[in-house]
Amino acid sequence: MSAWLIQIFQRRRCREDRFVALVSPHIRRMHRMAYRWTASQVEAEDLVQEVLASLVSRVAELEAVEKLGPWLVKVLYRRFVDLYRRRRLSPIDQSVAWGDDEYCEVNSGDDFRQLDLRRALERALRLLDEDWRDIVLLHDVEGYTAIEVAEVLEISVGTVKSRLHRARQKLKKILTQGTIETSRAC
Amino acid sequence: MKPRREFAQDEDARLVALLRTLPAPEPGAGFEDRLLEKAMRAARHTQPSARRRQPAGWARWGWQLATAASLLLAILATAPHWSDVFYPPVAQPLARHDSATVRPVHILVQSPRQMSGATIRVTLPANVGLDGYTDIQTLQWQADISAGENRLSLPVKVGSAGVGSEILIEIEYQGARKVLHLPVTPASGTGAVESITRT
C-alpha cells in the first residue's frame, strides 16, 4: 500500500520536474510580455502564475510543442484577453488600468534626451489600437518574428506585416508631430 | 541625397531600435522558482476541483444561455408591473418625480491584487432598485477585479421610502468576503462617488 502511495507521489514529482524543466527558461520572457500588456508588475506576475498553474497538468502536451516559447506567449495572450480585455463588458470600470504602473529604468549610459524619447514612445504606443499595439509589442519590442506573431495572435502573416507597417507609420507620425509634448517625471 | 524608400527604412530602423530599448522590470534572482512553486501549489489545490466543476464547453455555453434567458424572462415577466414599482400613485407628483430618478452611484473598490472571477453581489433594500433590473433585489455576477482602483457603477433608482435604508455590496474571492454597507441618502447630485472601500 505504502509503496503504491510512494509511486503515485514519485510520478507526480516526476511530472512536476519535467514541467519545471520545460517552462523555466521561458518564464522571464512571459513575465516581460505580460508586463507589456498589463502595464503592472503585480498583474503580470499574477497572469504568468495563473497560466503556469493551468499548464502543470499538461506536461505531455507541452513536450510535444515544437517552439514552446511562442506557444506559451500565445496561451498567455489568450488568458490576458479573457481576463483583461473582455472584462470591459462587466460593470467594473477598467479605465484606470493602463499606465498606472509606469516603469522607468535609468541606466548610467542614458541621456535625458533618450529617456524623454522613450517616455514619448511609451505614450505613443498607448494611442495605438490594441490590435496594432500587440503586434508592435511582440515584433518590435520583444523581437518575435512575423510568423511567431501571427501564431500568437492567430492572424495571417500578411495581416501582421500590414498592421505593423501602419502602426510604425502612426508611431512616427505621433512622435514627429509632437502630439505628446509634456514629459513627466517617473 | 537618399532615395525616399531608403530614408523610410532608416526611420523604421531607428524606431525599432528605440522600441527595443523600452524598459521592463527584471525580476530578482529566484523569480522562476518562486513563481513555479506558487503555480504548482495553486494547481495542486484548485485544478482537480475546478475541473470537476467546469462542465464541457457546450454545456457551459448552455448554462450561460439558460441563465441569460431566465434573466430576460424574469425582466419581461415583471414588465407589466414596472410602472407600479417605480411610479407611485399620481396623487403624489413630487414623490413620483423623486422615484423615477436614476442616481448613478459609483463605488471605488481598491484592491491590492488582481482578483480573477470575484463574485460581486448587490442586495437592495425595499423601494430601491437597479435601473434595468426591476423587481430584482439581489443581483450577483462574476467579474475580474484588477489591482488598484476599480469603479463599480450602479444605476440606482431610489423611491422616496428608500432613503435611509442600506445597499449591501458583497465581494467574495477565494473564500474571503468583504461587505460594504452603502447608506441611501437623499439625492445630492448625480455622479458622485458615494463610498470608498478597500477589499
Side-chain angles (χ1 to χ4, degrees):
Chain A
M1 178 70 174
S2 61
W4 177 71
L5 270 176
I6 289 167
Q7 205 179 356
I8 285 178
F9 282 117
Q10 276 177 344
R11 202 175 296 161
R12 191 174 80 180
R13 175 161 292 183
C14 175
R15 192 189 67 188
E16 286 181 354
D17 287 346
R18 277 156 55 211
F19 177 75
V20 168
L22 276 169
V23 300
S24 284
H26 307 285
I27 288 178
R28 273 173 196 263
R29 201 164 189 198
M30 286 172 77
H31 177 260
R32 213 165 52 227
M33 208 56 240
Y35 171 78
R36 306 260 187 227
W37 280 320
T38 61
S40 157
Q41 292 188 57
V42 178
E43 290 192 23
E45 192 169 326
D46 279 354
L47 186 63
V48 176
Q49 187 193 315
E50 204 180 308
V51 167
L52 292 176
S54 71
L55 294 173
V56 173
S57 60
R58 294 165 59 184
V59 179
E61 192 182 341
L62 261 62
E63 283 171 333
V65 174
E66 197 183 335
K67 284 187 172 179
L68 192 58
W71 188 87
L72 288 169
V73 170
K74 181 177 177 173
V75 178
L76 188 73
Y77 177 72
R78 279 191 196 158
R79 194 69 191 129
F80 164 72
V81 171
D82 281 347
L83 284 179
Y84 292 79
R85 294 201 176 148
R86 288 190 187 149
R87 72 182 167 194
R88 284 176 198 156
L89 299 171
S90 85
I92 296 281
D93 181 352
Q94 292 301 324
S95 57
V96 292
W98 244 91
D100 277 357
D101 193 7
E102 194 174 356
Y103 176 74
C104 291
E105 184 184 69
V106 182
N107 296 320
S108 54
D110 283 332
D111 57 24
F112 289 113
R113 165 94 187 118
Q114 188 77 0
L115 271 177
D116 234 20
L117 208 56
R118 249 193 241 161
R119 282 181 201 152
L121 187 59
E122 277 175 344
R123 270 161 225 134
L125 272 171
R126 287 173 209 169
L127 295 177
L128 290 182
D129 288 346
E130 282 168 354
D131 292 345
W132 293 9
R133 189 168 61 227
D134 289 339
I135 292 173
V136 173
L137 289 176
L138 283 163
H139 189 276
D140 286 353
V141 179
E142 286 299 322
Y144 287 98
T145 64
I147 295 168
E148 287 169 340
V149 175
E151 271 284 303
V152 170
L153 302 179
E154 293 180 318
I155 51 178
S156 71
V157 179
T159 307
V160 170
K161 287 180 179 171
S162 67
R163 282 184 188 170
L164 185 63
H165 176 71
R166 276 180 277 163
R168 284 176 181 169
Q169 294 296 106
K170 186 163 182 185
L171 281 176
K172 283 187 279 188
K173 196 174 166 189
I174 295 170
L175 289 170
T176 52
Q177 277 183 346
T179 309
I180 299 162
E181 287 171 344
T182 54
S183 65
R184 291 185 317 192
C186 288
Chain B
M1 192 173 160
K2 283 182 178 179
R4 192 181 166 82
R5 188 182 166 82
E6 204 177 314
F7 181 74
Q9 280 174 348
D10 278 0
E11 271 194 331
D12 269 8
R14 271 207 300 274
L15 180 68
V16 173
L18 191 62
L19 283 164
R20 287 276 155 87
T21 66
L22 283 181
E26 192 60 35
F31 173 71
E32 288 91 340
D33 295 341
R34 184 166 55 83
L35 208 62
L36 279 165
E37 198 187 315
K38 281 202 282 186
M40 284 193 290
R41 206 181 315 131
R44 273 177 221 139
H45 287 110
T46 61
Q47 260 188 351
S49 56
R51 201 180 282 171
R52 271 198 303 274
R53 276 200 312 271
Q54 288 280 332
W58 63 270
R60 205 161 51 238
W61 278 106
W63 273 110
Q64 284 172 357
L65 201 64
T67 310
S70 3
L71 188 62
L72 186 67
L73 203 64
I75 291 169
L76 289 176
T78 57
H81 307 294
W82 285 2
S83 55
D84 297 333
V85 173
F86 286 107
Y87 299 98
V90 186
Q92 298 172 351
L94 194 63
R96 174 187 171 134
H97 172 76
D98 284 349
S99 64
T101 310
V102 177
R103 290 170 55 194
V105 174
H106 304 302
I107 298 131
L108 283 183
V109 180
Q110 189 87 31
S111 173
R113 63 188 299 269
Q114 158 82 17
M115 296 193 289
S116 307
T119 301
I120 301 174
R121 191 179 304 113
V122 177
T123 308
L124 303 160
N127 295 301
V128 176
L130 281 185
D131 192 29
Y133 296 93
T134 313
D135 275 2
I136 293 175
Q137 293 308 112
T138 302
L139 190 66
Q140 179 178 310
W141 71 96
Q142 290 205 317
D144 299 320
I145 297 174
S146 63
E149 279 188 0
N150 300 265
R151 196 171 70 165
L152 172 66
S153 299
L154 299 174
V156 174
K157 275 191 165 183
V158 185
S160 51
V163 174
S165 53
E166 277 187 344
I167 299 173
L168 189 69
I169 296 151
E170 296 160 275
I171 298 175
E172 283 181 18
Y173 180 66
Q174 291 185 346
R177 184 162 162 266
K178 181 84 183 175
V179 182
L180 169 70
H181 297 270
L182 189 69
V184 180
T185 54
S188 57
T190 55
V193 174
E194 296 277 341
S195 178
I196 295 173
T197 184
R198 283 190 81 83
T199 60

